[in-house]
Structures are given as C-alpha cells and as structure tokens.
Amino acid sequence: MECQFALTGKGYVIVASDTTAARSIVKMKDDEDKIKTLGPHMLMSYSGEPGDTVQFAEYIERNLRLHQIRYHHPLRPSSAASWIRRQLADSLRSRSPYAVNLLVGGYDIATSEPHLYWIDYLGTMAHIPFAAQGYGSYFALSLLDRYHNPEASLEEGLETLRRCISEVEKRLIVGLGKFKVKVVDRNGTREIEL
Amino acid sequence: MSIMEYNGGSVVAMVGKNCVAIASDLRLGNQALNVATFDKIFPVTDRIYIGLSGLATDVSTLRERFRFRVNMYTIKEEREIEPATFAHLVSSTLYEKRFGPFFIEPVIAGISSPSRGSKPFIAAADLIGCLNFAKDFVVAGTASSELFGIAEGLWEPDLEPEDLFETISQTLLNAVDRDAFSGWGAVVHVITPDRVITRTLKGRMD
C-alpha cells in the first residue's frame, strides 16, 4: 500500500514518498524515510518487498558512493539509472530476485537538466517528466497529465504535488499519513516541509 | 495474463522499392495502466534498425546486448554487419536462452551494403529465435493479428519511400486503435540506401 510520486520542473526534481511502515493490519512506524540520497545531485525512492527494499537501496547507494570515491566524480543521472536498471534486470533471472520499485530523480550538472526515471522490479526503465509508484499511480497520473508543467517553479511543482497527495488521502482506502518530500536541484538535495 | 502482454506494444516492418520501413507504437504500460512513452526501435547500423516488442525490461537488456555484439562484430571483422547476418545474430542470441527465454519478438529491417546490391531486407523472429524471412511485411506485438489483417490489405509490391511511409503508417495506426495494449503515439523509420527518415505520427492517445 505504499505510494510514491516524483515530478520534474524548471531545474529541479521533487521526490515524495509516504512514511508508513506496516505489516498486515499493524502500522509499525509512521516516520520511515524511503528516499535515499545517492549522490550530491541524486535521489532514489524505493518501495516493494520489505527487506529487499532497504537491502537493494543500500547496495545501490554504497556502490554509487564507491564509484564517486574511485573516480572523483559522481555518475550522471542517466548513467546511474542505467546501472541501477541493469542490477535489477540481472537480479530478475537469478535465484532470488529483488522485488523493489524505484523512482530515481537527479539533476545533471553537465547539461543543467533535471531527469526522472521510473524503474520497476523487472528492470523496466522509463525516462519521464512525472511518475508514481504503487496504488497512488492510479489516482495521481491523470492529475499530473493535466496539471504538470515542466517549466514550473518549485512552488508550483509543490502545489501540483499537494494535489496528488490530497487525492490519494481522499480516495485510497488506506490512510498513509504524512509524506516525506525531498528536492534535488543545482544546489544539491534537501528535504522540504509541505 | 501472458507475460508478452504485460507491457504492451507492437512493431511492423515492410519492404518497398529499394527501401524498407519499420514502425512501432510508443506505449509502455503496466497491464492496464499507461506509464510512459517508450521507443522500441533502435538503430543497429546506419542501414539496419531493429524493433523489439514484448517485455520492456528485456527490450532494454537486449538492446544493450545487441549493441555489444554488433560492436564486437564490427571490431573483429573491420566492416559493418549485413542485415541477414544480423538477423542470424539475433536468432542465436535468443536461442542461447532456449529454456529461460527473453520475452521479446524482434523485427529487423535494413538495406544491405552497396557491395552486396543495396537490397531491402526484413525479418522477424519469435522469442526463441525462429526466423521468418518474409518478402512483404512482418508484424509483432500485442496487435499482431490486427497488423496482419490491415497489412495484407494495404501492402503492394514496389512502393516508393513516400508511399511506403503512408502505407505502413496507416497499417500501424489503425491496427493499434483496435488494441487496448498498443498505441499512445507512433514512430516510423523509412530506410533508403542514402538516408533514414524518422517521423513521429499523431495518433489516438487512449
């Protein structure tokens, strides 16, 4: 029942995720951070099979950090997303595949462009201006089709995000509580209070 | 539901007079939900294009694998690969995974090199590499039945590049309009001995 959104705007990517950690009927935690920072200008939100999610996300985070240490230079968003996709695609036909869905948002400082990648547990990757994972996608994608503006300022982007979140609050049978929102732009990554 | 229908998408290729055309829709879906526009046709060389319909993760994986294999071929042989040879390369790559296949139906379109007569070439394969060297057109994907029907009606031999473009475009657009899992835009590449013209079609976005 996890829900994650991401959208690009003028020089930024917003990534938002619910903060609920639940099993069956029990909500264990309501301040879980499901958005990892992969580098100075990259965020990744993850959802899916509990355990797999954190294991895979930390594996990705550590390996991207290792790349940065080795080569004194972080991977660009498109290369990182491609590498991450490759890890999931290789895992798919292994003995025990990772069941993790991701949204990878990054700011490419070489071209000054924001990039967003939707990657599912099979290793399907799509490069798109806005995305959602989980049941929330059924409610949010059409709202984003209508209200998303790729040249929007950060305030307008957050307003669009608020629309998506309130729609999910209204119509999803499970209450998801607070959403954690992070932004990546040319100055780096930071968390935002909605 | 079948794994070949999970993401949706269709590809078609046709032969004309000294030209070939290959076209696909742009839909990437998650069963019934549309997720993104996703190009399924990739250039292999200047004169060969491959369209991959089926499971999207395998489309990306195979694109990378074919790029690697064709690069190795070019380095070792010191010449560009011919379309027929590439078709066999596709076939052997897929058959390697005979008992755990990639869920892909490839469609290949190209023109052979000038030293071999600049002949138009199309081929298709199933997910384990069985090749089909058609003389007229090949189809693949969730709208393959629809594509067969319309292509059979509209195709005729020796179409000039402009007419071939119209024919393949109408074939694709009308076929995907009848299929729920294909559509969301379309792209057509017309390959002639001296250039490739790529056009994006305006289609129903439902």
Side-chain angles (χ1 to χ4, degrees):
Chain A
M1 290 289 188
E2 295 169 297
C3 185
Q4 306 183 320
F5 307 116
L7 52 122
T8 57
K10 199 164 173 66
Y12 65 84
V13 186
I14 301 171
V15 181
S17 170
D18 73 297
T19 49
T20 308
R23 299 285 175 274
S24 168
I25 57 168
V26 177
K27 192 189 287 192
M28 302 182 299
K29 198 165 184 259
D30 58 7
D31 56 0
E32 174 88 351
D33 185 359
K34 300 182 201 173
I35 307 178
K36 276 244 182 285
T37 305
L38 300 183
H41 300 276
M42 203 154 27
L43 294 170
M44 178 176 80
S45 72
Y46 51 87
S47 58
E49 188 75 40
D52 278 359
T53 45
V54 177
Q55 288 284 86
F56 183 76
E58 288 189 351
Y59 170 72
I60 297 294
E61 182 195 32
R62 302 300 154 90
N63 271 283
L64 290 178
R65 203 189 297 173
L66 178 61
H67 182 281
Q68 194 174 342
I69 291 169
R70 274 186 180 147
Y71 303 107
H72 296 285
H73 174 70
L75 271 179
R76 294 169 72 175
S78 56
S79 320
S82 212
W83 186 82
I84 295 170
R85 186 209 87 81
R86 165 58 52 189
Q87 300 308 304
L88 278 170
D90 288 342
S91 141
L92 181 66
R93 289 177 160 95
S94 71
R95 195 185 46 82
S96 118
Y98 284 114
V100 186
N101 300 313
L102 310 166
L103 292 172
V104 179
Y107 186 78
D108 189 351
I109 41 184
T111 57
S112 303
E113 293 278 331
H115 289 279
L116 174 63
Y117 295 90
W118 179 95
I119 306 177
D120 80 353
Y121 70 104
L122 299 169
T124 314
M125 183 168 85
H127 179 207
I128 32 185
F130 55 83
Q133 290 279 13
Y135 286 119
S137 54
Y138 290 101
F139 305 108
L141 284 178
S142 4
L143 274 175
L144 287 164
D145 278 331
R146 168 67 180 86
Y147 291 110
H148 177 251
N149 177 7
E151 295 299 312
S153 68
L154 183 61
E155 264 318 306
E156 287 165 11
L158 289 172
E159 193 47 47
T160 312
L161 181 67
R162 274 187 210 102
R163 269 188 204 268
C164 298
I165 293 176
S166 43
E167 189 63 25
V168 168
E169 262 167 15
K170 188 172 172 191
R171 293 294 184 184
L172 188 64
I173 198 171
V174 176
L176 290 175
K178 265 184 63 82
F179 271 70
K180 201 177 239 332
V181 182
K182 294 189 185 174
V183 170
V184 55
D185 59 14
R186 97 167 311 115
N187 304 320
T189 63
R190 62 186 190 281
E191 194 179 325
I192 286 208
E193 276 298 320
L194 251 198
Chain B
M1 108 155 353
S2 155
I3 193 73
M4 300 291 285
E5 290 160 24
Y6 186 78
N7 292 128
S10 310
V11 186
V12 58
M14 288 185 173
V15 169
K17 197 175 171 68
N18 292 328
C19 60
V20 288
I22 183 166
S24 81
D25 72 324
L26 295 175
R27 183 176 180 268
L28 173 75
N30 201 341
Q31 301 202 302
L33 181 71
N34 269 351
V35 171
T37 47
F38 184 73
D39 212 343
K40 304 168 183 73
I41 302 183
F42 310 105
V44 175
T45 68
D46 290 336
R47 316 156 126 244
I48 308 175
Y49 276 65
I50 182 166
L52 297 161
S53 68
L55 193 64
T57 175
D58 288 344
V59 170
S60 302
T61 302
L62 273 183
R63 170 205 178 187
E64 291 167 16
R65 207 176 254 240
F66 289 138
R67 191 174 63 152
F68 165 65
R69 288 199 153 174
V70 169
N71 285 344
M72 289 306 295
Y73 182 97
T74 314
I75 289 169
K76 285 181 184 171
E77 302 254 335
E78 293 183 8
R79 65 188 176 95
E80 281 208 336
I81 194 169
E82 294 293 331
T85 319
F86 178 66
H88 285 96
L89 178 69
V90 168
S91 172
S92 53
T93 307
L94 293 172
Y95 196 79
E96 273 174 3
K97 303 283 183 191
R98 170 63 178 84
F99 298 108
F102 290 114
F103 296 105
I104 290 291
E105 279 171 350
V107 167
I108 301 141
I111 296 192
S112 60
S113 63
S115 55
R116 274 166 220 263
S118 288
K119 293 206 201 63
F121 174 89
I122 54 169
D126 70 359
L127 76 172
I128 47 174
C130 174
L131 285 170
N132 164 23
F133 297 110
K135 302 270 185 304
D136 43 12
F137 53 83
V138 288
V139 303
T142 49
S144 56
S145 313
E146 290 86 345
L147 282 164
F148 265 130
I150 308 185
E152 199 65 66
L154 293 183
W155 187 85
E156 55 189 63
D158 292 327
L159 287 166
E160 293 295 330
E162 292 308 313
D163 300 326
L164 184 65
F165 164 70
E166 293 297 330
T167 307
I168 199 172
S169 302
Q170 286 304 313
T171 306
L172 182 69
L173 282 178
N174 291 295
V176 304
D177 283 348
R178 276 286 184 179
D179 179 31
F181 289 113
S182 300
W184 203 253
V187 71
V188 182
H189 304 269
V190 179
I191 308 163
T192 54
D194 33 58
R195 67 218 306 226
V196 176
I197 308 167
T198 301
R199 296 183 183 89
T200 314
L201 303 181
K202 187 171 143 179
R204 291 182 66 101
M205 299 293 274
D206 64 355

